Amino acid sequence: MTLPASDTTVLFPDGAVAADAVVLHVEPLPDGRIGVLLDRTPFHPIDLAWPDQGPDRGVLVAGEDEWPVLDVLIGATQGDGLAVGEAMPVRAGTEGWAFVVVHVVPSDADLPEGLGVRAAVDTDLRAALSAGHTACHLASLALDRALAGAWSKPAPDDGLGAPAFDRLAIERSVIRRYGSEDVYRVGKSLRKQGFDPGALDDTGRLVAAVDGTLAEWIGTGAPVRIERDGDGLSVRRTWVCSLPEGEVRIPCGGTHVISLAELGETTVRFATEPQKGGLGLTMTTRVVAEA
Ligand SMILES: [Zn+2]
């Protein structure tokens, strides 16, 4: 039962979908399934701190045997036991801990420590989530731009020069296949910062503005890359894309397309909902046509 002393090497930020790896540790999980730790992996796990993009699916292949990867979680260890998912006592990146990708396989999987395996991700699902995640970032920036005139005071900007509505108002974000859903709350604090909720009255105008910006940006076919200081799971990663207004950087742990040319027509719709002391806004983004 050797637990690793350092983070799992992660290959998904560069877009990898398959890799040869070695089983470092096998952990029986409370639900009877088995958690497998590899030295390196292309599998993207769900991040509990910001669970916008769900886990990859795929298989671990060893010789003639193939085991489905049913879930992909994050685990934490200091060498004497492994805490998985919500049982983790610390946030990813905490000093003195190793953070590992836990590949959840069925209880009858036979994957002894030291075994060489081929880790292969479901490429259709990965492509769909990567497109959805890139579209989500673009739509949030396009929304900031569409709402730039709604601010009466200087506000922190989003890296492209528009007040950062998305960052200041976001409650949660979910990446879907070829799309995403962002849920915002406009309450007292946003109004105090100078945001006029009246800007959300005409959602038709907002759709036209955001869709127009998305078409313009996607039409540039700009490259997308993930910057990181190392290849460990808990290393901070940044999404970088050069748009006509400038290079924009967003902290992000997910996966992405490598070029905006991979996205076709992308559109949004909005729903608003009165809430106690404020207004809820949901933006649904959809990549409707592949390029
Ligand atoms: Zn992201």
Side-chain angles (χ1 to χ4, degrees), residues 149-181:
W151 298 80
S152 60
K153 296 182 200 167
D157 81 58
D158 66 1
L160 286 183
F165 175 85
D166 175 80
R167 181 152 38 90
L168 296 170
I170 190 85
E171 287 219 300
R172 63 177 188 278
S173 187
V174 182
I175 308 302
R176 304 199 188 283
R177 289 172 174 263
Y178 295 103
S180 61
E181 192 177 280

Side-chain angles (χ1 to χ4, degrees), residues 187-203:
K188 197 172 157 197
S189 88
L190 214 64
R191 290 197 304 272
K192 265 188 164 164
Q193 288 177 83
F195 182 78
D196 171 15
L200 306 176
D201 288 348
D202 185 355
T203 54

Side-chain angles (χ1 to χ4, degrees), residues 27 45 47 50 54 69 76 90-91 97 114 141 145 188 249 291:
E27 178 90 4
D47 180 350
W50 186 246
V69 175
V90 287
R91 283 177 63 102
W97 291 75
L141 293 163
R145 176 158 124 171
K188 197 172 157 197
R249 316 168 71 80

Side-chain angles (χ1 to χ4, degrees), residues 50-251:
W50 186 246
D52 59 348
Q53 183 177 339
D56 278 326
R57 292 288 186 269
V59 291
L60 299 182
V61 182
E64 301 280 286
D65 294 328
E66 183 175 297
W67 308 103
V69 175
L70 306 169
D71 201 355
V72 191
L73 303 168
I74 292 179
T77 178
Q78 287 183 305
D80 54 352
L82 177 69
V84 177
E86 281 165 9
M88 288 201 313
V90 287
R91 283 177 63 102
T94 304
E95 201 73 31
W97 291 75
F99 295 90
V100 294
V101 177
V102 181
H103 309 76
V104 179
V105 297
S107 56
D108 62 341
D110 181 22
L111 291 162
E113 289 166 22
L115 183 72
V117 296
R118 180 85 180 152
V121 167
D122 176 333
T123 53
D124 286 346
L125 175 63
R126 167 67 71 77
L129 293 175
S130 295
H133 204 147
T134 303
C136 177
H137 285 203
L138 287 184
S140 69
L141 293 163
L143 177 62
D144 287 350
R145 176 158 124 171
L147 293 173
W151 298 80
S152 60
K153 296 182 200 167
D157 81 58
D158 66 1
L160 286 183
F165 175 85
D166 175 80
R167 181 152 38 90
L168 296 170
I170 190 85
E171 287 219 300
R172 63 177 188 278
S173 187
V174 182
I175 308 302
R176 304 199 188 283
R177 289 172 174 263
Y178 295 103
S180 61
E181 192 177 280
D182 291 291
V183 179
Y184 302 97
R185 178 177 158 79
V186 177
K188 197 172 157 197
S189 88
L190 214 64
R191 290 197 304 272
K192 265 188 164 164
Q193 288 177 83
F195 182 78
D196 171 15
L200 306 176
D201 288 348
D202 185 355
T203 54
R205 190 202 64 84
L206 214 50
V207 167
V210 172
D211 284 0
T213 301
L214 288 172
E216 180 197 326
W217 286 347
I218 290 167
T220 67
V224 174
R225 67 177 196 275
I226 301 295
E227 278 186 6
R228 49 180 178 159
D229 289 336
D231 55 13
L233 173 63
S234 63
V235 165
R236 183 185 166 87
R237 294 184 286 277
T238 307
W239 178 88
V240 186
C241 183
S242 285
L243 296 170
E245 292 80 355
E247 187 177 78
V248 63
R249 316 168 71 80
I250 297 177

